[in-house]
Amino acid sequence: MHPDVIVASSNPSLAILKPLSGRVPVVFVAVADPVGSGFVESLAHPGGNITGFTNFEPAMGGKWLEVLREAVPSMRRVLVLMHPETTAHQKFSRSIAAVAGSLPVEIVLAGVHDAAEIERAIGDFAASRNGGVIALPHPITEVHSNLIVQQATSHSLPTIFAFAAHASAGALITYGINGAAVLLQTTDYVDRILRGTKPADLPVQAPQTFELAVNLKTAKMLGLTISPALVARADIVIE
């Protein structure tokens, strides 16, 4: 179709578009670790024909673990649902492991590609008590987010996701960027590219604000009491 510009969301879509884009500029959004993933040369000087907006740095992996543990102090084990072929997920998992040792929390990594693998991973993990689930952001965990919440809740496992929409769907807690707001940021870069600016001259931008959401209905269902301090810090509280 030879478009004037392409907007790509997520690491998998950008990985497919990168070799196909040719001379067509690509503005990405919700992409983790674009430098480590080989999409751009650097954040300040992306080079090539691709630029855009990142979502999470590798250190967010450890932050998700810290927030979930703060919400559930009794948690001693955590299942990390990840897409093992995604470079950013490998870095998230290393960050989680680094933080886990100081809590202490046992980490169980589960590479998932479909619903069957998700169900099997949660079912196997739930055989032992005092567990929790971190669903790393990826199209696989997005498409199957309701399944993850349902399976985890049925096994009395608290969950943390990266986007607030999942708290509304029943996850115990979420911590991350406002996806809609970040998507709207792309309009400025698209406009500038259509007016002649080269993508290589537009630095990759990192998110500036994060939001915390807590679902107290889910907490009650799981028999948990969330600390007043954590609830007070939350941007969204579902009661």
Side-chain angles (χ1 to χ4, degrees):
M1 294 174 62
H2 304 291
D4 294 312
V5 63
I6 298 172
V7 175
S9 176
S10 82
N11 288 59
S13 64
L14 187 57
I16 292 172
L17 284 170
K18 187 176 187 296
L20 299 177
S21 61
R23 296 182 179 180
V24 180
V26 177
V27 178
F28 64 77
V29 63
V31 166
D33 190 27
V35 177
S37 299
F39 299 138
V40 297
E41 295 176 8
S42 72
L43 300 184
H45 304 285
N49 221 20
I50 297 175
T51 189
F53 301 83
T54 65
N55 52 10
F56 304 114
E57 293 300 311
M60 277 298 292
K63 190 64 179 178
W64 286 316
L65 175 58
E66 290 175 345
V67 172
L68 183 59
R69 176 61 182 274
E70 183 179 0
V72 191
S74 62
M75 187 180 72
R76 296 292 178 267
R77 305 166 62 248
V78 66
L79 174 68
V80 180
L81 297 176
M82 61 181 292
H83 187 259
E85 291 79 20
T86 296
T87 302
H89 279 208
Q90 298 165 13
K91 293 186 177 182
F92 287 148
S93 64
R94 288 196 290 269
S95 174
I96 291 171
V99 171
S102 63
L103 290 177
V105 171
E106 177 192 354
I107 302 300
V108 177
L109 302 178
V112 295
H113 303 84
D114 53 36
E117 291 184 348
I118 289 171
E119 289 190 50
R120 183 162 56 250
I122 294 176
D124 291 345
F125 178 79
S128 299
R129 301 179 60 184
N130 297 324
V133 177
I134 298 175
L136 296 183
H138 188 275
I140 293 295
T141 54
E142 287 295 298
V143 168
H144 299 295
S145 60
N146 287 337
L147 173 65
I148 294 170
V149 170
Q150 292 165 3
Q151 289 290 311
T153 302
S154 69
H155 290 291
S156 299
L157 295 171
T159 55
I160 184 168
F161 283 77
F163 303 109
H166 300 310
S168 300
L172 175 66
I173 197 163
T174 64
Y175 184 63
I177 60 173
N178 183 310
V182 173
L183 183 59
L184 287 175
Q185 287 182 298
T186 64
T187 59
D188 175 58
Y189 270 18
V190 169
D191 178 66
R192 293 165 69 175
I193 289 171
L194 291 177
R195 293 174 185 271
T197 302
K198 295 180 180 179
D201 296 329
L202 296 172
V204 175
Q205 295 190 38
Q208 301 298 314
T209 59
F210 295 82
E211 57 185 9
L212 174 68
V214 178
N215 190 323
L216 295 182
K217 291 196 300 183
T218 298
K220 183 177 181 180
M221 186 184 308
L222 295 172
L224 301 172
T225 300
I226 305 299
S227 71
L230 184 59
V231 173
R233 293 208 318 272
D235 302 283
I236 302 170
V237 178
I238 300 170
E239 299 185 85

